[in-house]
Amino acid sequence: MDIQIALLLAQDGIVNGAIYALLALALVLVFAVTRVIFIPQGEFLAFGALTLASFQAAKVPGTLWLLIGMGIAISIIELASSSRLRGGRRRLTFALGWNLAYPAVLAAIVLLAKPGDWPLVLQVVLALALVVPLGPMIYRLVYQPLASASVLVLLIVSVAVHLALVGLGLLFFGAEGSRTPAFSEASFSLGDVTITGQTLWVIGASLLLIVGLYLFFERSLWGKALRATAINRVGAQLMGISTTQAGKLCFLLAAAIGAMSGILVAPITTIYYDTGFLVGLKGFVAAIVGGMVSYPLAAAGAILVGLLESFSSFWASAFKEVIVFTLIIPVLLWRSMTTRHVEEEEE
Amino acid sequence: MSPRVLSGILLVLLMAGPLVLPEFHITLLNYIGLYALVALGLVLLTGVGGLTSFGQAAFVGLGAYTTGYLTTAEELPAVLSWFGASPWLTLVAGLLVTLAVAGILGLLTLRLSGHYLPLGTLAWGMSLYFLFGNVSFLGGHTGMTGIPPLSLFGFELRDGRRLYYLIWLILLVAVWMTQNLLDSREGRAIRALKGGGIMAEAMGVDTARSKMVIFLVAAAFAAISGWLYAHMQRFVNPTPFGLHIGIEYLFMAVIGGAGHVWGALVGAGLITVLKQWLQDLLPRVFGASGNFEIIVFGLLMIFVFHRARDGLWPLLARVVPVKRSARAVPSGQPLARRAHPAVGTRLLEVRDAVKKFGGLVANNQMSLEVHAGEILALIGPNGAGKSTLFNLVTGVDPPTSGEVHFLGDRVDGRSSREIARRGMSRTFQHVRLLPAMSVLENVAIGAHQRGSAGVAAAAVHGERGEEARLLAEAARQIERVGLVDAMFDAAGNLALGQQRIVEIARALASDPSLLLLDEPAAGLRYLEKETLAELLRKLRDEGMGILLVEHDMDFVMGLADRVVVMEFGEKIAEGLPEEVQSNPAVIEAYLGGVE
Amino acid sequence: MDAPILAVDELCVAYGKVEALHHVSLTVRAGEIVTVIGPNGAGKTTLLSAIMGVLPRSSGSVAFLGVEQGDVEVERMVALGMTLVPEKRELFGDMSVEDNLLLGAFMRRRLGHRDEQQTMAEVFGIFPRLKERRGQRAGTLSGGERQMLAVGRALMAKPRLLMLDEPSLGLAPLIVREIFHVIGNLRKTGVAILLVEQNARAALRIADVGYVLETGEVAMSGSSEELEGNPRIVESYLGLGGKR
């Protein structure tokens, strides 16, 4: 291996690592606030990329039907429960607006406005508008009724959600993969190594998202409220920070991060309906490096996973996945050595 | 209908199956049997033990690939060659490989808190799957063909009909052994894992060992299933051992009812049949081919967790007209008792114990002694550090500095399990009973360290003599504290006061020399307090030492021989109850905050 | 006569099948300090949690500001003007004192009020120590400062009813005196206070009305003078075995 190949592999590793970092941050966020280990995180990546690809192929993405379907399901549930709770009417209007009217408007745009002819930026915006609301909707339908369940139950349910979404992904987008055009065709030479514009896009956008998240958590009231919920759920509840609202907000952020990563990475890698899972799991390995609580450690872990993957694909490509997933074993070992007194008296 | 009659009928139906059913149904039933065996392991692991694995399919793969490799390889290395002689030997080999891998993975992950284990299983489930597909001597993604059929006494189990009996025999034996295991001393320890870890350790249960036991048993069941699968298919490739199948196994256990051994069978049956049906139906509905059944499985799982958290078996069991037989109070020879020190012997000595949490000093230079045949009360305002001291003495937390001696040996820094074994037993301020288990079984956990029968003996019920003695001891202690009428009630259904008494019975079942009670009178009514005081006096008169943390002054003053008063983590007074009561520092501590 | 701020009627709470509160009734009026005293395990914390909506009630009713609160959610009670300072304080340990206080005004901000800086200045007026420590992480505060922060954070919501669960827990007498002094003075601001305490003497000293909770039931109630004079109370809660 010469220095040029090493640089090439490093570039690859860092690009993938940036994506894993985004997913890892989303996973840490969701876990810290809701205790949900969000296995379906990767599905948002696939949904984001494939929805965009559908627009470009002038097809109607199946995610639209999913949005409409979940909206109807939530509306039915809200209607049934609105009679019980005080202040129900305002809440109901709000819920019906988001769950019926919003999908209807999007459906009209997608079906009538021919987004296939739009410029890329608008297509991206529309894809995000379609995929991101699925996050809070999933929270509402699946996790909100289980708010008091144990981490373990939430994890198993997450796996169930993942299965259902992968199955739906296959139904919506078929077994064939898609690639989207690059955001930028430019490329730069750095010594012997060529850096493509898309690479810079991925890295730049990831950094921007990370900085944005940092500012959100440090400066805004809702960001602080989410941190407070993560630090002390009971305390946050007593301040009037609704666990449900915090949960929905987290899922919104997670879905947005997932869909964004998908859209960023789709010009580099072919995305299949089930690509998300593997990518998401690698984000997981990174999140576990961070102990599911530390954002900087998770991001560092992500870069490590990315580099490990790209270098092992050079040396032992058949065992690339084995190597990446086996990384978790020494990490867990290290955690078990450093974690003293483990006793979760969780009911 | 009695359970015996019902299971007899089912058994006859099962036996008659191959005689009347068409080939297709036999195959389906064979698969159900194989899957149920894996799901059974998960019932033990997840439903009972509270540990979750998504990676069981990988263990099935280890069982299948081991036999596949050993029975088909052209040239085996010399050390392995004798394994190739018979598939029955490769079963042993497969079990050894699986147990070794599971042992290593267990060592790495079982110590970690709840969600790390399942995440770990996701990762190694993935990694083993990719390994199967990428190792050339295992046939890569195309797999291995030409695996010989099993033979039994020279009789080849070549087709599904013949293999059927072997599969179901193995499954039923596994179910029987699992049930036996759960209904034993080891089984109670296993059942305590979920939500009772600290308590179990304090009763002398090695919870790490119990976790490992169920993890290995579940892996072994999976490996046996894989071995049977390989010899049924006569061919293996990586596909059936992937992560998604591992997830399916977990679904079977959860949907069937993860807390019940028969739930495994119900879940495996349901998922297998449903999958068969959906794989046929859905592609026609959607007009495309693919594994669309996972959508239904996913939604079904979510539904089960929303509406029937315990799975289908409990619902089914309610419908089946089975009469439960009445329970008799157990009887048996008394257990051997430990040699208790003479009255007046120093049992416990705490010397200059300091405990810091970060910058907070919870205990500062605390010293006290408890002798056999006396009741020492430790009192002080809420937040004075009494519970912290309790945890130092019982080994839940090690002291930052200072020493704890019990019966002459230094015990600080030792685990609560070791300390419990030496003859110290405790109750908890926040009652830690297993609410679904009967009072009798809860108390029997206290006697855990007085039995010795292992997992193997329990699985074949070869330890019934010892078990009877343990239960009889538990029953005796329940009688002693006056709760005979509630012996077979679920502990969670008792009033709080009674639950505290059950905790005392459980502590007594370990035959302690020193009894530590953390606020035993909290929440008790006046008469209940009187009864409790009487019991404690009796125990003292029998020579037991008692350390009592209490808030209720009346209760303490009438009962204790000596009193130690704590405030802000320090001892502010010590002496006879009357002396302490008139001590100005104590009055200030209790009336503190007002001029 | 005004409707009471809080009226609890025949409240029952059960954990599974075990009943922790048994037909408890109590009333808190505007500007009043009401204390609930009783031994550990009597159900005092359960009572506050059930009023706040943290725990589900099995029967009975809770009326706040004259309106019965049926199927309550905690956020709604906060929005209506009820706050609870829990026994464990439940501070946001990794966040600064200032951020903790700011989050105390979370619901007011959401309801459109923008006066949190002014309220914070008032809180700093009450607890000058918090002002000195405003940039420090809450997790590094001493026990007394934590309790001040917990109370201050609750005051940030400008509550109509302030519920305090054992504010004296684990605090040195001097600090307890200070905290109780502050609680006593809060009466002037018009907030009604429901104070749960095991330090019965300190609590009765500042309270107008007291309830004695034993094994989940109200064993006795009356004005604090009456209770302070009651021989059984003196024996069980005020003196040490009746001796002074």
Side-chain angles (χ1 to χ4, degrees):
Chain A
M1 175 193 273
D2 58 25
I3 186 80
Q4 191 180 349
I5 296 177
L7 282 175
L8 211 67
L9 290 175
Q11 184 190 337
D12 241 32
I14 289 172
V15 168
N16 285 335
I19 296 296
Y20 300 151
L22 285 179
L23 296 180
L25 294 185
L27 289 166
V28 171
L29 166 68
V30 170
F31 179 70
V33 175
T34 63
R35 300 176 307 128
V36 171
I37 295 179
F38 197 47
I39 305 281
Q41 179 66 48
E43 267 63 70
F44 282 95
L45 179 144
F47 279 15
L50 293 173
T51 302
L52 180 63
S54 296
F55 288 146
Q56 282 163 357
K59 287 189 212 157
V60 175
T63 32
L64 176 66
W65 311 125
L66 184 59
L67 184 75
I68 293 173
M70 292 213 289
I72 292 173
I74 294 172
S75 303
I76 293 170
I77 295 173
E78 295 289 351
L79 274 173
S81 66
S82 66
S83 53
R84 277 195 300 116
L85 286 171
R86 256 161 211 295
R89 181 164 305 177
R90 239 191 84 218
R91 189 186 299 198
L92 190 64
T93 322
F94 185 76
L96 294 187
W98 270 110
N99 294 302
L100 290 181
Y102 178 77
V105 170
L106 276 187
I109 294 175
V110 171
L111 296 174
L112 303 175
K114 292 208 192 325
D117 308 332
W118 292 6
L120 184 60
V121 185
L122 287 182
Q123 287 178 336
V124 167
V125 171
L126 187 60
L128 290 175
L130 206 57
V131 175
V132 173
L134 296 176
M137 284 178 160
I138 289 176
Y139 179 82
R140 174 65 190 88
L141 282 175
V142 178
Y143 295 101
Q144 190 179 319
L146 293 170
S148 58
S150 68
V151 173
L152 216 57
V153 165
L154 293 172
L155 170 61
I156 299 176
V157 167
S158 285
V159 170
V161 174
H162 150 70
L163 270 201
L165 288 183
V166 168
L168 288 170
L170 175 60
L171 184 61
F172 295 156
F173 304 110
E176 261 110 72
S178 302
R179 240 180 220 241
T180 54
F183 291 7
S184 148
E185 300 294 344
S187 65
F188 311 87
S189 292
L190 201 76
D192 293 336
V193 183
T194 315
I195 299 171
T196 63
Q198 190 63 29
T199 303
L200 294 180
W201 259 102
V202 172
I203 296 173
S206 305
L207 284 177
L208 212 65
L209 268 173
I210 290 172
V211 171
L213 282 174
Y214 175 80
L215 290 177
F216 171 72
F217 285 123
E218 285 297 318
R219 300 284 159 81
S220 74
L221 183 69
W222 265 107
K224 285 178 183 175
L226 284 189
R227 270 170 67 208
T229 308
I231 296 169
N232 189 325
R233 183 178 310 273
V234 178
Q237 223 187 352
L238 291 175
M239 299 303 106
I241 301 167
S242 143
T243 312
T244 309
Q245 294 270 346
K248 281 185 188 162
L249 182 56
C250 269
F251 273 66
L252 183 91
L253 288 171
I257 294 172
M260 275 305 294
S261 344
I263 289 168
L264 283 173
V265 82
I268 304 176
T269 328
T270 309
I271 305 286
Y272 299 86
Y273 73 100
D274 61 351
T275 302
F277 184 55
L278 263 187
V279 181
L281 272 190
K282 286 170 192 164
F284 249 115
V285 175
I288 289 174
V289 172
M292 299 298 290
V293 288
S294 159
Y295 294 94
L297 270 181
I303 302 295
L304 175 69
V305 171
L307 289 174
L308 189 70
E309 184 183 36
S310 74
F311 279 88
S312 55
S313 69
F314 178 77
W315 274 307
S317 68
F319 295 99
K320 181 178 95 173
E321 314 289 1
V322 180
I323 291 171
V324 169
F325 288 112
T326 312
L327 171 69
I328 203 174
I329 304 270
V331 170
L332 287 177
L333 183 65
W334 166 64
R335 289 241 153 248
S336 80
M337 306 275 232
T338 50
T339 315
R340 199 192 66 80
H341 186 79
V342 182
E343 182 58 56
E344 77 299 349
E345 288 291 295
E346 203 184 340
E347 300 301 319
Chain B
M1 206 169 3
S2 78
R4 203 173 285 265
V5 174
L6 189 71
S7 38
I9 294 172
L10 288 177
L11 196 64
V12 169
L13 285 178
L14 199 63
M15 296 278 285
L19 305 176
V20 291
L21 292 173
E23 193 67 33
F24 173 71
H25 287 151
I26 295 299
T27 311
L28 210 55
L29 279 170
N30 280 347
Y31 275 114
I32 293 176
L34 292 179
Y35 294 158
L37 188 57
V38 185
L40 180 64
L42 281 172
V43 162
L44 191 63
L45 191 65
T46 305
V48 180
L51 307 169
T52 300
S53 166
F54 294 108
Q56 293 307 101
F59 290 140
V60 179
L62 282 176
Y65 266 101
T66 308
T67 192
Y69 173 67
L70 291 175
T71 54
T72 60
E74 304 275 304
E75 273 176 50
L76 284 173
V79 259
L80 297 177
S81 59
W82 63 277
F83 273 120
S86 154
W88 294 94
L89 290 175
T90 61
L91 172 61
V92 176
L95 281 171
L96 289 178
V97 170
T98 309
L99 291 178
V101 173
I104 293 168
L105 292 172
L107 279 178
L108 293 179
T109 43
L110 288 179
R111 271 194 63 217
L112 290 166
S113 62
H115 51 277
Y116 279 106
L117 173 70
L119 287 181
T121 64
L122 273 180
W124 53 253
M126 269 327 233
S127 140
L128 281 174
Y129 167 75
F130 283 115
L131 205 60
F132 293 142
N134 285 300
V135 177
S136 57
F137 71 84
L138 296 180
H141 282 288
T142 42
M144 284 185 286
T145 50
I147 298 171
L150 289 177
S151 60
L152 200 56
F153 309 115
F155 185 75
E156 278 203 342
L157 305 175
R158 208 167 251 289
D159 62 13
R161 249 170 237 283
R162 297 190 185 166
L163 208 53
Y164 173 92
Y165 288 106
L166 181 64
I167 291 173
W168 281 86
L169 177 71
I170 289 179
L171 175 65
L172 291 180
V173 168
V175 167
W176 177 71
M177 287 171 74
T178 308
Q179 259 179 339
N180 285 349
L181 175 59
L182 287 176
D183 175 28
S184 74
R185 167 179 163 275
E186 290 280 359
R188 282 187 293 273
I190 291 167
R191 283 189 283 164
L193 290 176
K194 203 172 167 182
I198 289 183
M199 177 277 289
E201 284 280 328
M203 295 302 134
V205 174
D206 187 343
T207 51
R209 181 177 160 279
S210 291
K211 283 181 186 175
M212 188 55 110
V213 164
I214 55 176
F215 192 60
L216 291 180
V217 169
F221 284 170
I224 296 171
S225 171
W227 171 77
L228 282 166
Y229 173 86
H231 290 286
M232 184 171 88
Q233 290 282 322
R234 317 268 300 282
F235 151 76
V236 287
N237 71 345
T239 316
F241 313 122
L243 192 56
H244 277 127
I245 310 296
I247 292 170
E248 237 162 67
Y249 284 127
L250 186 67
F251 282 13
M252 289 177 191
V254 171
I255 288 177
H260 312 267
V261 286
W262 295 112
L265 209 70
V266 173
L270 185 76
I271 295 275
T272 311
V273 173
L274 201 61
K275 188 173 181 176
Q276 194 68 38
W277 181 63
L278 289 172
Q279 272 178 342
D280 214 33
L281 176 80
L282 291 181
R284 272 190 280 146
V285 172
F286 294 138
S289 61
N291 300 329
F292 296 120
E293 74 277 3
I294 56 177
I295 304 175
V296 178
F297 287 170
L299 296 180
L300 186 64
M301 267 310 270
I302 297 168
F303 181 79
V304 164
F305 272 110
H306 281 190
R307 292 299 153 93
R309 191 76 62 87
D310 296 328
L312 296 177
W313 175 253
L315 305 178
L316 217 66
R318 231 181 291 156
V319 181
V320 177
V322 171
K323 273 188 280 178
R324 302 231 163 266
S325 45
R327 300 279 214 118
V329 176
S331 60
Q333 290 292 312
L335 293 165
R337 300 194 60 192
R338 69 175 91 237
H340 288 288
V343 170
T345 315
R346 185 162 66 202
L347 295 174
L348 176 74
E349 185 186 9
V350 180
R351 251 185 249 157
D352 300 328
V354 176
K355 180 69 189 178
K356 292 182 187 168
F357 295 107
L360 190 79
V361 183
N363 275 182
N364 194 15
Q365 302 292 323
M366 272 302 298
S367 298
L368 57 79
E369 288 182 11
V370 185
H371 302 94
E374 78 163 346
I375 298 178
L376 176 72
L378 181 61
I379 65 169
N382 278 357
K386 298 173 306 229
S387 290
T388 305
L389 185 69
F390 221 80
N391 285 342
L392 299 189
V393 170
T394 51
V396 173
D397 272 328
T400 312
S401 70
E403 295 177 9
V404 180
H405 294 258
F406 180 57
L407 285 170
D409 299 324
R410 197 168 160 180
V411 296
D412 52 273
R414 291 187 186 275
S415 71
S416 54
R417 185 173 74 241
E418 280 175 81
I419 295 176
R421 293 226 163 128
R422 288 161 191 259
M424 188 193 294
S425 200
R426 69 173 293 187
T427 64
F428 293 89
Q429 186 185 351
H430 299 286
V431 173
R432 287 177 192 262
L433 295 173
L434 298 164
M437 268 161 73
S438 71
V439 168
L440 180 70
E441 286 180 302
N442 265 291
V443 174
I445 292 176
H448 182 88
Q449 44 165 325
R450 300 173 75 183
S452 60
V455 175
V460 297
H461 265 186
E463 35 57 285
R464 289 293 98 180
E466 182 189 285
E467 175 72 3
R469 293 173 71 189
L470 288 172
L471 289 180
E473 171 70 14
R476 251 193 303 281
Q477 299 304 341
I478 293 170
E479 217 168 319
R480 195 174 187 185
V481 300
L483 279 179
V484 182
D485 294 338
M487 196 179 293
F488 300 108
D489 293 351
N493 291 355
L494 268 53
L496 189 66
Q498 285 178 314
Q499 293 192 6
R500 288 194 186 280
I501 305 293
V502 175
E503 286 234 326
I504 295 176
R506 184 178 64 199
L508 290 176
S510 70
D511 186 28
S513 304
L514 175 64
L515 187 62
L516 282 80
L517 305 174
D518 201 347
E519 299 217 10
L524 257 55
R525 286 160 207 285
Y526 182 72
L527 278 177
E528 292 171 333
K529 282 183 197 171
E530 289 293 293
T531 320
L532 174 61
E534 213 165 287
L535 171 69
L536 296 184
R537 276 191 207 103
K538 205 169 88 190
L539 292 172
R540 170 191 54 196
D541 295 342
E542 287 167 16
M544 196 178 286
I546 298 175
L547 174 61
L548 182 74
V549 166
E550 192 42 80
H551 206 78
D552 185 325
M553 281 297 166
D554 278 349
F555 184 73
V556 166
M557 292 305 168
L559 182 64
D561 298 302
R562 286 188 307 125
V563 179
V564 168
V565 189
M566 277 184 86
E567 196 190 15
F568 303 111
E570 292 184 7
K571 181 159 77 178
I572 57 167
E574 177 170 16
L576 301 173
E578 306 82 57
E579 294 169 9
V580 166
Q581 266 176 307
S582 50
N583 183 321
V586 177
I587 293 172
E588 167 67 15
Y590 265 83
L591 313 182
V594 218
E595 53 281 13
Chain C
M1 194 172 167
D2 286 349
I5 298 276
L6 177 74
V8 177
D9 191 38
E10 298 278 311
L11 182 65
C12 296
V13 175
Y15 295 99
K17 289 179 186 164
V18 181
E19 199 165 65
L21 281 188
H22 192 64
H23 299 285
V24 172
S25 302
L26 65 81
T27 311
V28 183
R29 296 180 186 284
E32 212 175 47
I33 298 182
V34 174
T35 184
V36 176
I37 57 176
N40 279 4
K44 303 190 297 284
T45 298
T46 305
L47 173 65
L48 294 190
S49 304
I51 293 172
M52 194 71 205
V54 179
L55 279 179
R57 310 158 189 159
S58 23
S59 68
S61 72
V62 173
F64 183 53
L65 303 175
V67 183
E68 184 168 339
Q69 305 297 328
D71 208 347
V72 287
E73 288 169 339
V74 181
E75 308 94 74
R76 180 168 164 76
M77 300 312 282
V78 176
L80 288 175
M82 186 187 280
T83 47
L84 169 64
V85 179
E87 187 179 337
K88 290 179 188 157
R89 277 64 144 170
E90 313 286 6
L91 297 173
F92 308 120
D94 275 341
M95 300 172 86
S96 69
V97 168
E98 203 165 353
D99 277 351
N100 269 274
L101 290 174
L102 183 70
L103 285 165
F106 176 83
M107 188 48 93
R108 275 185 76 74
R109 278 277 296 262
R110 285 207 62 204
L111 294 174
H113 301 280
R114 285 289 179 277
D115 53 357
E116 71 269 4
Q117 291 307 327
Q118 193 197 331
T119 321
M120 201 180 292
E122 286 167 29
V123 169
F124 285 153
I126 298 172
F127 298 112
R129 197 106 52 102
L130 292 182
K131 189 171 185 180
E132 293 165 25
R133 308 246 185 247
R134 59 195 297 171
Q136 203 172 318
R137 285 196 314 119
T140 62
L141 297 179
S142 74
E145 289 163 349
R146 281 177 208 218
Q147 185 58 278
M148 290 175 197
L149 179 55
V151 175
R153 189 180 63 172
L155 291 175
M156 286 295 292
K158 296 206 159 181
R160 300 290 304 275
L161 174 68
L162 176 66
M163 302 198 286
L164 300 153
D165 195 353
E166 301 232 1
S168 76
L169 184 68
L171 300 183
L174 211 65
I175 314 261
V176 172
R177 211 165 293 171
E178 197 178 329
I179 296 264
F180 272 79
H181 185 70
V182 168
I183 297 171
N185 282 343
L186 283 177
R187 191 201 320 253
K188 291 176 203 146
T189 66
V191 60
I193 294 173
L194 180 57
L195 170 67
V196 156
E197 251 307 332
Q198 47 106 21
N199 188 336
R201 182 168 298 269
L204 287 174
R205 196 57 60 90
I206 61 165
D208 304 297
V209 178
Y211 290 80
V212 180
L213 201 62
E214 283 174 355
T215 56
E217 291 175 64
V218 174
M220 232 179 289
S221 64
S223 74
S224 37
E225 293 80 35
E226 274 166 43
L227 291 180
E228 272 182 306
N230 183 312
R232 218 199 110 201
I233 300 286
V234 171
E235 188 179 328
S236 306
Y237 302 107
L238 297 178
L240 289 174
K243 288 174 199 161
R244 288 293 314 273

